[in-house]
Amino acid sequence: MYDQQNVFAKILRRELPCRVVYEDDEVLAFYDAFPKAPIHVLVIPKGEFISFDDFISASPVGVASFFSKVAHVIDLLGVKEAGYRLVTNHGKDGGQIVKHFHVHILAGKRMSDVA
Ligand code: AMP
């Protein structure tokens, strides 16, 4: 069950602040508050999806559209040429902490281990 009180739900409702990179009616992209790389941006859908697993089951078309927005954010960040890492965590072994689906965009250094 989706928890309306998770941190990213609060960010979407503007109950908590964030540094916005990009926003439209489907997604919000903002800087991670505890960056694991020189550039660390999170992209989240505005729909109530707990994780990738939940999102792909509910709306495969929505996932496709979402990832095209992720590509747009990557363009805005200007990291395509140097490279970047995309990460999304699901569940306990995946290490997911915030239970609102999100993709991490990590860039700005050579990454050698899982972020
Ligand atoms: P995950 O482990 O995939 O659930 O990652 C959650 C991410 O959310 C972590 O990288 C946190 O640093 C980040 N985070 C937690 N709280 C905030 C916040 N208020 N604003 C921005 N990023 C946050």
Side-chain angles (χ1 to χ4, degrees), residues 26-84:
E26 287 180 2
V27 308
L28 176 66
F30 54 97
Y31 285 98
D32 195 293
F34 308 96
K36 283 47 165 211
I39 298 169
H40 188 171
V41 168
L42 302 168
V43 190
I44 65 175
K46 292 192 170 177
E48 296 180 352
F49 303 108
I50 298 168
S51 73
F52 177 73
D53 200 69
D54 183 27
F55 197 9
I56 193 75
S57 306
S59 179
V61 173
V63 169
S65 171
F66 174 82
F67 274 96
S68 76
K69 305 293 177 78
V70 172
H72 179 60
V73 174
I74 289 164
D75 277 344
L76 292 177
L77 293 170
V79 297
K80 199 183 314 198
E81 196 175 317
Y84 57 85

Side-chain angles (χ1 to χ4, degrees), residues 3 15 19 35-36 40 73 82 86 88 97-98 107 114-115:
D3 173 12
E15 294 167 12
R19 283 175 59 213
K36 283 47 165 211
H40 188 171
V73 174
L86 294 185
T88 189
I97 293 169
V98 180
V114 174

Side-chain angles (χ1 to χ4, degrees), residues 7-8 11 16-18 30-36 40 42 87-89 94-100 102 104:
V7 172
F8 296 167
I11 285 175
L16 289 174
C18 71
F30 54 97
Y31 285 98
D32 195 293
F34 308 96
K36 283 47 165 211
H40 188 171
L42 302 168
V87 174
T88 189
N89 299 319
Q96 183 179 10
I97 293 169
V98 180
K99 303 297 194 307
H100 180 114
H102 52 281
H104 300 251

